Amino acid sequence: MLTDLTNNLRVTYGGPYVGLKHTPQQHRICIAEQQWSLQERGWGVAVCTSHPVHGWRAEWRLAAVSRERLPLIVNALPALFAGYAAAVDASPTASRPSTKRIHEIAELFAH
């Protein structure tokens, strides 16, 4: 569902950092057009490196993160959806039905 929404909206967003203890700002959750493999490219959410040289290079899909990183991802979801909703509101796609759905998801995570 989130892949469909992000593909429809096509708004890039660098979300919260989810780096581990020793490198807290090394990774962040990003919504962007991701290069998943040599053959697969598409919009979606990924844990990306935040190194200035590499930009936001997708490292893992959310479903494939380690058990050590999973609690960081779960705790970051409310901020991710709230921030993405704000980014979409500031974009030309603000009037699309997908924007309303992103706001509904953000509201669910806010509680």
Side-chain angles (χ1 to χ4, degrees):
M1 174 190 66
L2 193 52
T3 299
D4 291 341
L5 293 171
T6 59
N7 188 49
N8 178 265
L9 296 169
R10 295 181 181 239
V11 174
T12 301
Y13 175 68
Y17 288 101
V18 291
L20 300 177
K21 289 184 265 187
H22 54 286
T23 54
Q25 294 187 343
Q26 183 176 356
H27 293 98
R28 67 192 308 180
I29 304 174
C30 298
I31 298 173
E33 186 174 19
Q34 310 289 356
Q35 184 74 43
W36 301 112
S37 69
L38 289 175
Q39 298 82 21
E40 184 183 5
R41 184 173 185 84
W43 280 85
V45 181
V47 175
C48 298
T49 60
S50 56
H51 192 278
V53 174
H54 301 295
W56 292 345
R57 186 183 66 209
E59 295 279 332
W60 304 280
R61 295 176 191 257
L62 293 185
V65 299
S66 68
R67 282 184 272 185
E68 185 178 16
R69 195 178 307 272
L70 186 59
L72 298 170
I73 300 292
V74 171
N75 289 335
L77 290 177
L80 173 71
F81 284 107
Y84 189 58
V88 171
D89 285 344
S91 77
T93 63
S95 62
R96 293 187 184 172
S98 296
T99 299
K100 180 181 178 204
R101 184 67 181 133
I102 290 293
H103 278 281
E104 291 169 351
I105 295 168
E107 182 65 26
L108 287 172
F109 278 101
H111 294 289

